Amino acid sequence: AMSDDEQPTFETTESGASQTYPQQAGEIRKGSYLMIKGHPCKCTEISTSKTGKHGHAKAHIVANDIFTGKKYEDLCPSSHNLDVPFVKRTEYQLLSADPETGEVSLLLESGNCKDDLNLPTFVKVGEPTDDDKKVVEEILKGMEDGKEVIVIVQAACGEEKIIQVKISDAK
């Protein structure tokens, strides 16, 4: 196993196994996290249907990718195990954010800087969501106003994204 020093950004190893755990499809609720087609998603709708006399109940799940907002659907027997991602939220103090490049610098509890994240409107795939744009506006406004900006970073499956902002008066 690698020591923590060699991998400062991820606490889990890169094997897929440790990033998810199994849960029965029938136990998934609205608001639950689950993997669909390899994407960490949050369930927005779930319905179960009985299929015929000897058929198994099927779960129909609609969910949005927690990083891109893209909609995915899954249909599977409700007794079937789905992968559920471990989703972690961490708060960091924002040191700087560059609206031109999207680069963000965050303060770790250790006093080191975390420089591997971008503003959420700088997306690798697709278009930023309205939430992404709102978060960026809040970040930049907070910085301009000289406030203390705390960002909440959501992490799952080796990906991270700033999803919320808290602004407070600078100390």
Side-chain angles (χ1 to χ4, degrees), residues 91-105:
E91 294 190 6
Y92 299 102
Q93 187 179 340
L94 182 84
L95 297 174
S96 66
D98 186 327
E100 302 297 312
T101 62
E103 286 168 18
V104 173
S105 188

Side-chain angles (χ1 to χ4, degrees), residues 39-151:
H39 300 273
C41 297
K42 189 174 186 174
C43 176
T44 53
E45 280 174 58
I46 180 153
S47 52
T48 45
S49 56
K50 293 265 187 288
T51 55
K53 205 153 64 175
H54 302 292
H56 292 284
K58 282 223 165 47
H60 177 234
I61 298 167
V62 181
N64 290 23
D65 184 310
I66 60 173
F67 293 115
T68 65
K70 191 168 185 267
K71 189 170 156 181
Y72 290 98
E73 293 190 47
D74 203 3
L75 186 64
C76 60
S78 52
S79 58
H80 184 81
N81 267 353
L82 296 171
D83 285 332
V84 174
F86 288 106
V87 177
K88 216 175 78 194
R89 290 179 172 210
T90 315
E91 294 190 6
Y92 299 102
Q93 187 179 340
L94 182 84
L95 297 174
S96 66
D98 186 327
E100 302 297 312
T101 62
E103 286 168 18
V104 173
S105 188
L106 306 174
L107 183 65
L108 299 174
E109 275 179 14
S110 61
N112 294 340
C113 291
K114 176 177 172 57
D115 296 322
D116 58 350
L117 278 177
N118 283 332
L119 290 170
T121 46
F122 286 75
V123 289
K124 297 195 278 285
V125 187
E127 290 290 312
T129 64
D130 291 342
D131 286 344
D132 293 340
K133 293 174 188 160
K134 207 175 92 201
V135 164
V136 171
E137 274 172 34
E138 286 177 30
I139 289 174
L140 298 175
K141 180 162 176 14
M143 279 176 37
E144 265 173 46
D145 297 348
K147 305 273 196 203
E148 182 181 74
V149 180
I150 303 288
V151 295

